[in-house]
Amino acid sequence: MSTSTAATPHLSSILPRHILATGDHHPIVLAEAKRRAASVQLRIADAVTAFAGSMRFVYLHAVVFAGWMLFFEPSPWPTLTLVVSLEAIFLSTFVMIGQNRQAGFQQAKADHDFKMSDQELLTNTELTRRVHELTKEIHAHIVGAAPVAPVTAAPLGSPAS
């Protein structure tokens, strides 16, 4: 059972584009996307980690650092070193925030999948019992009301009759 974002157009305003682009998603995925979209802090963290994990980020930094080293600061560039170190601290923090959120999402999805699997097992067990009961009823109806005598094997060495 999947929920389509096309069937619920109001979701397009709160779900990230990459969730919407692929079509149908698991209800847990949609719930997590809604939760993240509802929090300003999580939206900021998502935006920073999305940008920091892109090649545009790499290219921008290569240009900025090259310009800084060539035009703004003499060797050995102590201010640039400080800026880069601080940036690394913040980026590693955002990466850890993203990893923690992803781990939480994976745990919620695993819990949901376990509950669904357990529910399917119970449903299948009940269906199997019902099929067995119906089979016995059909057998009794076709063969008659007389119970079928259990089949016993003849002892070894005795002639079969």
Side-chain angles (χ1 to χ4, degrees):
M1 172 168 95
S2 63
T3 304
S4 172
T5 55
T8 52
H10 67 281
L11 291 179
S12 63
S13 63
I14 60 173
L15 293 179
R17 276 182 292 231
H18 70 278
I19 298 281
L20 293 174
T22 57
D24 292 340
H25 288 282
H26 196 282
I28 282 284
V29 174
L30 293 173
E32 176 66 11
K34 286 180 193 176
R35 186 185 72 77
R36 286 187 358 221
S39 169
V40 173
Q41 289 178 335
L42 291 178
R43 284 196 314 264
I44 291 170
D46 284 341
V48 169
T49 54
F51 178 65
S54 70
M55 285 307 293
R56 290 183 309 173
F57 181 81
V58 173
Y59 298 142
L60 175 69
H61 278 75
V63 169
V64 168
F65 293 159
W68 185 294
M69 290 185 287
L70 294 173
F71 301 113
F72 293 110
E73 194 154 352
S75 183
W77 311 304
T79 308
L80 179 62
T81 304
L82 175 66
V83 169
V84 171
S85 297
L86 288 173
E87 183 180 42
I89 290 168
F90 283 112
L91 287 176
S92 63
T93 302
F94 279 114
V95 167
M96 287 188 288
I97 290 169
Q99 288 174 339
N100 289 339
R101 278 195 345 270
Q102 185 63 28
F105 170 72
Q106 291 296 331
Q107 184 61 51
K109 176 100 171 63
D111 291 344
H112 178 269
D113 290 347
F114 174 76
K115 288 176 187 172
M116 293 305 295
S117 174
D118 195 39
Q119 187 177 29
E120 286 179 22
L121 177 63
L122 292 174
T123 301
N124 287 342
T125 302
E126 182 58 34
L127 287 173
T128 302
R129 285 186 184 129
R130 187 65 186 136
V131 166
H132 179 70
E133 290 170 8
L134 290 172
T135 303
K136 288 190 329 189
E137 288 177 22
I138 291 171
H139 184 269
H141 181 69
I142 292 174
V143 174
V148 177
V151 178
T152 56
L156 293 175
S158 66
S161 41

